[in-house]
DNA sequence: TTCCTTGCAAACGATTTGCATTGGA
DNA sequence: TCCAATGCAAATCGTTTGCAAGGAA
């Protein structure tokens, strides 16, 4: 992954490394504010955003645009695998969920069918499942 | 639908009516700025947002939180039916697409399966399909 | 030295709110 | 009359950017 940054002439600095590590440990995408909280002091929001945008440009993190005009960030799918999101309407948390491959194959087929119907060329998809998470039941 | 507002002690005013009408005519969700543009002058953004929040509280419109940190609004599903979104990565447009019921039944089953796996109680879902729309091909 | 990186503060764009005014029942 | 609705301007929130200082190659 470091190579990916070096190829773009940017460094894999401690600040960027910590962002990647925190995201790697998270069960789901995190907002900038959440990241900042977890990383702790000594990380100004502006630097955080700069790290995120460098990492995004390098294809290492991907933004997930969500509730109340705030983005959540997670590692790109080539790092953590294809997955979908469980959004808790109670506490607002967003967790990743991997979908068994026989389900995912059905999803692919459905997406392809819809694309054909609508003369739309699909290149990616996301399923957002809303409800109540285990903690809020 | 007017009843829905009256029940909450709010009126179905011309300003609110025009918002509903413009949304009803749109092939997909619209941002506040787009709504304002379509409605034309004489509709300050602040009033628009106020109309939207009243309509949202009444369950008549639903926000769709999307690209580049801006919300798009559409009529609630009980008014326009269950559907998913085609998001064009080229021009940024978002169009609704209704899914044939045999597909939708498969989707329901998949969602239920995932919910069980993750001890998550699903109450709704959305499939966002990214790609290129017919216009941008 | 030469870039890249960082921190701070200021700027920005979308959305919200305070307040005084208008308007419908 | 009374309360809801509106317009304007100012405030707020998440995010971005300009600029000068710090750091690695």
């Amino acid at each position: 992954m470091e190579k990916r940054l070096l190829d773009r002439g940017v460094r894999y600095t401690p600040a960027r490394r910590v962002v990647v590590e925190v995201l790697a440990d998270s069960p789901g995408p995190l907002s900038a504010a959440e990241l900042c909280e977890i990383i702790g002091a000594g990380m100004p929001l502006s630097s955080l955003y700069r790290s995120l945008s460098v990492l995004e440009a390098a294809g290492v993190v991907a933004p997930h645009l969500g509730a109340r005009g705030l983005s959540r960030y997670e590692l790109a799918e080539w790092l953590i695998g294809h997955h979908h999101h469980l959004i808790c309407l109670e506490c607002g948390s967003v967790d990743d969920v991997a979908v068994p491959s026989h389900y995912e194959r059905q999803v692919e087929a459905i997406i392809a069918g819809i694309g054909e119907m609508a003369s739309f060329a699909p290149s990616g998809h996301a399923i957002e499942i809303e409800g109540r998470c285990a903690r809020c039941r």
Side-chain angles (χ1 to χ4, degrees), chain A:
Chain A
M1 149 159 44
E2 181 156 4
K3 183 173 182 310
R4 212 135 163 161
L5 294 173
L6 296 177
D7 284 351
R8 313 190 138 252
V10 298
R11 303 179 199 135
Y12 193 36
T13 63
R16 291 166 190 176
R17 200 177 293 268
V18 73
V19 168
V20 169
E21 281 162 6
V22 170
L23 289 178
D25 279 346
S26 170
L30 299 173
S31 66
E34 290 166 341
L35 269 166
C36 215
E37 169 118 4
I38 293 171
I39 293 173
M43 172 61 77
L45 268 172
S46 65
S47 299
L48 214 215
Y49 279 114
R50 268 198 262 243
S51 294
L52 288 169
S53 84
V54 167
L55 293 168
E56 181 184 347
V60 172
V61 315
H64 168 243
L65 311 135
R68 303 291 131 219
L70 96 167
S71 303
R72 289 169 177 275
Y73 300 85
E74 62 187 347
L75 296 183
E77 295 210 325
W78 66 274
L79 287 166
I80 54 173
H82 179 58
H83 60 275
H84 298 292
H85 290 131
L86 300 172
I87 301 167
C88 181
L89 298 175
E90 188 81 7
C91 67
S93 67
V94 181
D95 282 340
D96 291 344
V97 62
V99 172
S101 55
H102 66 281
Y103 279 162
E104 192 59 36
R105 247 177 279 124
Q106 285 182 52
V107 171
E108 304 280 353
I110 293 171
I111 303 276
I114 295 175
E116 198 139 335
M117 273 174 41
S119 31
F120 185 93
S123 61
H125 68 268
I127 303 182
E128 314 284 304
I129 305 175
E130 300 175 335
R132 288 195 163 212
C133 70
R135 277 154 284 164
C136 290
R137 292 245 232 161

